[in-house]
Amino acid sequence: MVVIDRVKEDFYQRISSDHVLVLVYPDVDSLCACKILQTLFKADNTQYTVVCVSGISQLKTAFTTHHDKVRSVVLINCGGGAKLIELLQPEEHICIFVVDSVRPLELDNVYNKGQVHIVLREGEVLEIPDFDDIYDSDQQAEEDGEEEGEEFFSDEEVEDSVTGGKRRRREGEASYEARRKRHLWRRKREEILYKYSEFNYHSTAASLVLYELAWRLTRDNNELLWLAITGLTEQLLHEKTDREMYVTEMHRMQPHVLRLNRSEEETVSAINTMKINFVEELRLDLYRHWTIYDSLCNSCYTACKFKVWSLKGHKNLLEFLADMGLPLVQCKQRFSAMDVQFRENFRSWIDRSAAKFGLDNMAYGSFSAQIGYKIKLSAADMLLSTTALIENPEKSTEEAFLQALDALSWSNVTKILAGIETAKLQQAAIKTHVRNFIDTHQVVCTGPFVYAYVEEGTPNMKYFSRPLTLCKLARFLREAWISSNKRARDYPFILSAPVDLEKGTCLVAGVPCQTEETRRSEFRKAFTQAADRTQANASFDCFDNCVFEMQMEDRGKFFDALTALCTVC
Amino acid sequence: MTRTVNILDLGARCLGEKALELVRELKRSQDGNLPPYNEDGIRQVVEEMRALFEQNQLEVRATTDGERGLLSGIQLRHACLERNQRCLLAYVHHRMTRIRDYRWQTGSVLPPSFRLSLCEQEIQWFTHYNRSLATYMRSIAPTGLDLTQHLQPPKSLLVEVRCLEDYGEFEMEDGTVVLLHKNTQHYLPRSQCEPLIRQGVLEHIH
C-alpha cells in the first residue's frame, strides 16, 4: 500500500508505539534519513534497533533474526525493488514500511494491502500500471493458466464443437473466447511489466521524505535540514538524478532554509548555533580544506577538463592559475593559510577565468553550514566526508556505518573533519588510478559500451572494493575517457574491480550514458540477462542497481555475452 | 627551661609534628587508595598528648602552690594539646568520609584489599552505616529504592547504545525481547542497559 497523504497518521504514529527495527543501506542518503528518523524516535521515546544491510541476503538474515521481537520494520533505501512478502515471509502482525528512492518499485509491494507500506512524499506521482492490468482476480484464470496460446486452434476443440450438441458448441466457443482474452491479457501484462522494469532510476531521496515528515510533525530544525540537504546533494554528485530535478528539490528546500535561518540585524544570535545559507558552490572538491592546486588536480570536473595527466593539460592548468592571478606558491598552500586578498577574491577570479578555459558548469547552487567561527562546511564537503567514513577500508561495513552515523551529529564534528582527510586520500587515489588507466590504455571500447578492469595488486585497491567508491572511480574514469574520445559520451561505461581475493569475486559497476538529461539506466536488466546466458556465478544482491558481484573467471564470458546482447538491442 | 627539654627528649622535633604527619599522609593519598590505619602514628600522638598533659598538671599544681613564670608554658602546652586533638579528629573524620563515599560509589561489599586498610572500629562503623542506609532505602518505597544507583539524575528514560559483541537475546522488563547482535545500535531504557554497559557488552553513545 502506498502512504502519501497521511504520512503522520499512517506511518509515524503507527510505528512510534512499539519497538521498531530499522534496516538501512550504507549510503549517505540512507544514513541521513536514518539519523532524522532516530531524532524523531528519541523525541517520542520510541525504542528502536538499527541494523546495516548492504544486500538482499543480509536483509533476509537481519529480518529473520530480529523479526519475532518487533512489530514494525522500516526499510530505508533497501528492499523497494525486491518482493518483500516472498523474500521475508513476515507474520501477520508485522508491518513493513519502505522508504526507498529507487524506482521502479516492485509491484507486489505497492499493491499489497496491509503488510507492506511504501512511504512517499506528498505530491509524488508513482507511474505504475493499473492493478487490473497486472493482477487477474478472476478464478478461472488459474484453471486455464496452464494452457498455451497455441491450443486455441487445436483440432480437438473443433471436433468437440462439431460432434457435441449445440450447448457444447456454445460452451466451447465461450471458453475459447475466454482463453483468447486471457492470452491477450497475459501478453499485454508481460509487455507492461517489461516496460515498467526496463529502466532503473532514482526518485525523491529518502532523507527528503523523512525531513518532510519531521516538518509536518513540527520537529524540524537546522540539524535535520542539513541532513536532508546532504542527502539531496548525494543525488546530484553521485549522479542519481539529473540537474533539473536537483534544482527543483533545491528550490523546495529554500523556504525551509530561510525559515530556520532568519538573520535579523538587531538581535545577536549565539555564535555556536548552526546556520545554513545558500551558496553557489564550485565543482572543486574540498577546496576549503585542501590546497587549491590539489583540489584542481583531483576533482573530477577540473581534472578531466584540463586533462591533468598529460603534460599539455598540466601546462594548461598552470596557465589557468596564472590567468586567475594566483601565484603557484599560494595555490600549493592550504586554503585557510593563503593570503587574505587571494582567499577573498578567489571566487570572483575563478568565475571570470573559468569561461575562458571552457569550464562552463563550474558552479551550481548548494548550501553551506557554519558553527562558530571555525567550522564551515559545504554540503559537498559533508557528502565526501561521509562517503569516506562509510567506505573506510580499514573497518568492516557495519562498523564503518556506525562510525559514519555517529559523525553525522554536529556534536561530533571532529569526526567529519577526520572524514575529510580520508576523503582527500581517496580522491588522490582515484585520480592516480585514472591516470594509470589512461596512460596504459586499459580502457577498452567494444561496440556498445566501454569497459575497464582494475587489476589485482594495484596499490590502493582496498578503496575500490566498495560500491560507492567504485562507482566514483567509474564516473571519473568515464569523464576522463570522454575528454579524449568525444564519441564515447553516447556509450555506457562499465568498470570491474576485485573485491575478495580469497573467494575470487569481483565487483562490477556501470555508469549510464548521458545522452538525455535523465539518469535512467538499464544495467540491472542487461546484467541479469547476460549473467543468465553465460550461467555466470553472479549475485545481484546489492541494492544499488548498477552494481553487482561475480566470480572473476566468468568475467570474460560475461562481457562477451553483454556485448552480444547490447549489439542486438 | 629544664621542663621543655624533657618534652624534646620524647623524640619529636617539635610539638605537633607527628599529628601533622598523619594529616599530610591522608592529603597525599586523596587521589589514590586509602592508606592503612596508622595505629603507630596515632599512638605516638596520644603519647605526646599524655606527656604534655601530665607536664601541664604538674605545673598547674606548682602554680597554685605559688610558683611563678609557669603560665606561658602551660598555655603553650594547652594550645599544643588542642592542636593535636584537632589533627586526630580530622584524621578520623576524613577516613570516615572516604569509607562512606566508597559505599556510595562501589557497594556494600568490602573487597579484601580495601578491608586491609581499615581498622576494626572502622569496619564496624561501615557495617552499621550499611545497615542504616538499607533501612532508610527500604523505608522510602515498599519495594525499596536503591539510592546508590544513580548519583546524578538521568537526563532521559532511554539511552542510545551500541552493541560491541554478540550477546544474544535480552529480555526487558516489559516483555519485549531485543536481539543484541554485534554492530547494531539500539535505543533502550536506561535502567535495563546499565548493567550491560558496566559489563562492556553495550557502549553508551552520546
Side-chain angles (χ1 to χ4, degrees), chain A residues 19 38 41-42 45-51 65-66 69 396 398-399 402-403 405-406 412, chain B residues 157-158 160 162 169 172 174 176-179 181-189 205-206:
Chain A
H19 190 106
Q38 274 180 309
F41 282 156
K42 278 192 199 156
N45 281 338
T46 307
Q47 299 177 22
Y48 61 82
T49 300
V50 172
V51 184
T65 39
H66 283 94
K69 328 282 186 297
S396 73
E398 290 90 19
E399 270 177 49
L402 291 176
Q403 300 276 343
L405 199 59
D406 267 349
N412 293 333
Chain B
L157 274 179
L158 306 169
E160 177 128 21
R162 181 173 299 169
E169 289 187 9
M172 295 197 290
D174 55 353
T176 41
V177 183
V178 182
L179 186 77
H181 201 64
K182 188 171 175 189
N183 284 332
T184 47
Q185 196 143 320
H186 308 266
Y187 192 60
L188 300 172
I205 308 288
H206 296 275

Side-chain angles (χ1 to χ4, degrees), chain B residues 117-136:
Chain B
S117 345
L118 305 183
C119 74
E120 244 338 288
Q121 291 94 335
E122 283 177 333
I123 294 177
Q124 271 183 15
W125 179 85
F126 186 78
T127 349
H128 284 310
Y129 184 76
N130 268 346
R131 217 175 294 147
S132 318
L133 188 62
T135 325
Y136 177 65

